[in-house]
Amino acid sequence: MTAVPTARQDAGIDALAELLADGDVVVLSGAGLSTDSGIPDYRGATGSLRRHTPMTYQTFTRDPRGRHRYWARSFVGWRQIRGARPNDGHRAVGELQSAGLVGGVITQNVDGLHQAGGATGVVELHGGLDRTVCLNCGDVAGRAELDERLQAANPHFGPRTDEINPDGDAELPDEVLDGFVMVGCLACGEGPLKPDVVFFGETVPRDRVEHCFGLVEKAGSLLVLGSSLTVMSGYRFVLRAAKLGIPVGIVNVGPTRGDAKADVRVDAPLGEVLPALAARLAG
Ligand SMILES: [Zn+2]
């Protein structure tokens, strides 16, 4: 079902279409783009930060027990992440890119849904849940093969939960977590594995940030989709664009930290705005 945009949204979509019509658009997306795919937002009305303290880099790397709990919960949460499908918003970004209007996609999401929705050359600012990295030897491996090993090591570990978080973490009671068996790195045989995502308290690799600044600096416009821009990790690109006089458009449900820097601001569901925008520009 596709909801029909209201007249006020229509005016906003017209203004956005005008802003983006010259092309070289760089998209910066956040969790709000994936909520229609069943992956909850950290913030917002039902944001998981209201009930869940996300794993921090410090806890993950220094506390073996904290790491064990993360993987047990993530083993369960992965079923939902793996089963998630791209929504109309992701597909609209793919269409805008196919039409030659979008020059780059930077996402704060770790769910891989942009790529599944047809976007190419996506920069995963905060990494991706579909891979792991060894904290000992640095080997990068696929999450699917880890999942197979985890299923073999945990044939009877299958608690059900509906409470999952955007980082693929799930809510489980302590006594359940104790029964989980974690496996190590296959390359070095000992190293603890970390999902290849940037945790809270961790910095985004410098070369990745510089690459994104490069994309933004040569952009015709910056289009923010589904991010409240609360963390500097994404907000800094809006600041850079604004400083260089590059027009900024924002589509998000609810206010964002970048609203004062935006040339066009549409406060409406992405699943309604983006297909309408793609129909106008790429149809
Ligand atoms: Zn290793």
Side-chain angles (χ1 to χ4, degrees):
M1 188 192 79
T2 303
V4 178
T6 64
R8 198 169 63 84
Q9 282 173 24
D10 258 336
I13 293 165
D14 284 341
L16 263 187
E18 199 174 320
L19 190 82
L20 308 177
D22 289 342
D24 290 329
V25 179
V26 168
V27 167
L28 171 65
S29 70
L33 186 60
S34 288
T35 48
D36 281 353
S37 293
I39 296 175
D41 198 344
Y42 276 114
R43 298 175 175 84
T46 58
S48 65
L49 280 184
R50 289 168 187 256
R51 56 181 162 75
H52 166 74
T53 306
M55 175 57 71
T56 64
Y57 181 72
Q58 288 70 22
T59 299
F60 193 89
T61 52
R62 291 174 196 165
D63 174 6
R65 180 153 176 82
R67 196 156 60 226
H68 185 85
R69 292 160 57 95
Y70 171 86
W71 278 118
R73 297 194 304 235
S74 176
F75 177 63
V76 175
W78 176 246
R79 320 281 117 214
Q80 191 169 343
I81 298 283
R82 190 188 56 182
R85 294 289 172 261
N87 62 54
D88 288 346
H90 296 114
R91 281 188 285 271
V93 172
E95 284 169 31
L96 289 169
Q97 198 175 21
S98 297
L101 288 164
V102 170
V105 179
I106 302 166
T107 187
Q108 298 174 278
N109 299 341
V110 294
D111 53 36
L113 290 176
H114 262 302
Q115 298 91 320
T120 56
V122 177
V123 181
E124 295 180 304
L125 190 62
H126 296 161
L129 279 174
D130 62 341
R131 354 177 251 283
T132 59
V133 60
C134 174
L135 290 174
N136 182 49
C137 74
D139 183 62
V140 176
R143 176 62 182 262
E145 59 198 55
L146 170 67
D147 194 54
E148 279 180 22
R149 294 164 62 210
L150 289 179
Q151 290 193 52
N154 297 275
H156 305 298
F157 189 85
R160 294 191 59 79
T161 176
D162 295 327
E163 303 271 297
I164 77 143
N165 296 297
D167 54 2
D169 201 352
E171 307 288 330
L172 292 173
D174 282 358
E175 61 271 22
V176 174
L177 298 174
D178 288 338
F180 178 74
V181 177
M182 185 51 194
V183 299
C185 172
L186 278 180
C188 68
E190 54 182 296
L193 299 174
K194 174 181 174 292
D196 192 11
V197 300
V198 176
F199 280 124
F200 279 77
E202 186 177 2
T203 51
V204 179
R206 195 69 223 166
D207 55 345
R208 200 182 298 165
V209 175
E210 290 305 325
H211 177 62
C212 292
F213 272 130
L215 288 174
V216 170
E217 284 165 6
K218 61 180 178 16
S221 57
L222 179 65
L223 176 61
V224 180
L225 302 176
S227 175
S228 57
L229 299 168
T230 308
V231 291
M232 187 51 83
S233 173
Y235 183 50
R236 57 187 155 186
F237 301 118
V238 174
L239 292 178
R240 180 67 60 93
K243 190 176 176 190
L244 296 174
I246 295 165
V248 176
I250 299 178
V251 186
N252 190 61
V253 176
T256 84
R257 190 183 182 185
D259 288 354
K261 308 281 182 193
D263 298 85
V264 178
R265 173 77 180 89
V266 181
D267 186 341
L270 281 79
E272 296 173 18
V273 173
L274 294 180
L277 187 67
R280 256 168 249 207
L281 287 168

